[in-house]
Amino acid sequence: MDDPEERFTMLYDRYYRNVLGYVLLRVEQNVAEDVCSETFLVAWRRLDDLPEQVLPWLLGVARNKLAKHREVRHRRTGLVERIAALTSEREHVAWDVAEHVVDREQAISALRALPEKDVEAMILATWYGLTPDQAATVVGCSVRAFNVRLHRARKRLTGRLHQEAGAARRPVRGTRFAEES
């Protein structure tokens, strides 16, 4: 069979339930379905490189995806706990959405002003949680070069955020006269 779509369809039809059953023993259904989808996406991308014994390979991929899911969930839980520890009950009650919208807009504006390479480095390190070694592989540079890129990106972002915050605090020219009239 030479058609990749047919080969993948046969593979999917034959092993989907096995992979889903394996994953369902470890996580709830909505996560299991996502993990299965990601597993078969990897299979599709590596269709020509699949081993003869496909099921053990698929289960290994699913196991890796589950480990990644647990790692992300653990990181997310830790972040929520750190944020909760740093905020007081009073801050929760007095939380002003408008302040956070302004902060968000300033952050977005600062990020838009950065070069694409800076944004990419910060996204790989913070959003995806990649180690410098992994991020360097994605970007195609050495670990040292990635670390330098990330450091410089963070410095530029900090500078832009200070500029944005300063601009937000400065009164706009002519507003005093407009208020008086």
Side-chain angles (χ1 to χ4, degrees), residues 171-172 174-181:
V172 178
T175 54
R176 193 179 84 205
F177 299 114
E179 292 171 0
E180 292 175 359
S181 53

Side-chain angles (χ1 to χ4, degrees), residues 134-167:
Q134 294 168 327
T137 301
V138 171
V139 175
C141 66
S142 69
V143 175
R144 181 172 287 165
F146 179 80
N147 282 329
V148 169
R149 182 181 296 179
L150 181 60
H151 173 74
R152 290 177 180 166
R154 287 177 173 158
K155 282 182 75 171
R156 282 191 276 266
L157 178 62
T158 301
R160 292 298 305 180
L161 286 171
H162 287 303
Q163 286 177 348
E164 295 291 329

Side-chain angles (χ1 to χ4, degrees), residues 98-170:
E99 287 180 25
H100 295 281
V101 169
V102 170
D103 291 344
R104 181 179 181 274
E105 292 302 319
Q106 289 172 353
I108 289 171
S109 178
L111 281 170
R112 284 187 181 140
L114 294 178
E116 188 176 327
K117 283 185 173 185
D118 288 357
V119 175
E120 180 183 36
M122 286 188 291
I123 286 173
L124 290 173
T126 56
W127 185 271
Y128 292 106
L130 298 182
T131 64
D133 187 38
Q134 294 168 327
T137 301
V138 171
V139 175
C141 66
S142 69
V143 175
R144 181 172 287 165
F146 179 80
N147 282 329
V148 169
R149 182 181 296 179
L150 181 60
H151 173 74
R152 290 177 180 166
R154 287 177 173 158
K155 282 182 75 171
R156 282 191 276 266
L157 178 62
T158 301
R160 292 298 305 180
L161 286 171
H162 287 303
Q163 286 177 348
E164 295 291 329
R169 283 193 293 268
R170 268 186 260 125

Side-chain angles (χ1 to χ4, degrees), residues 12 16 19-21 23 31-41 62:
Y12 184 87
Y16 179 80
V19 174
L20 182 63
V23 177
V31 174
E33 291 170 354
D34 289 345
V35 168
C36 278
S37 295
E38 292 173 18
T39 300
F40 280 96
L41 178 61

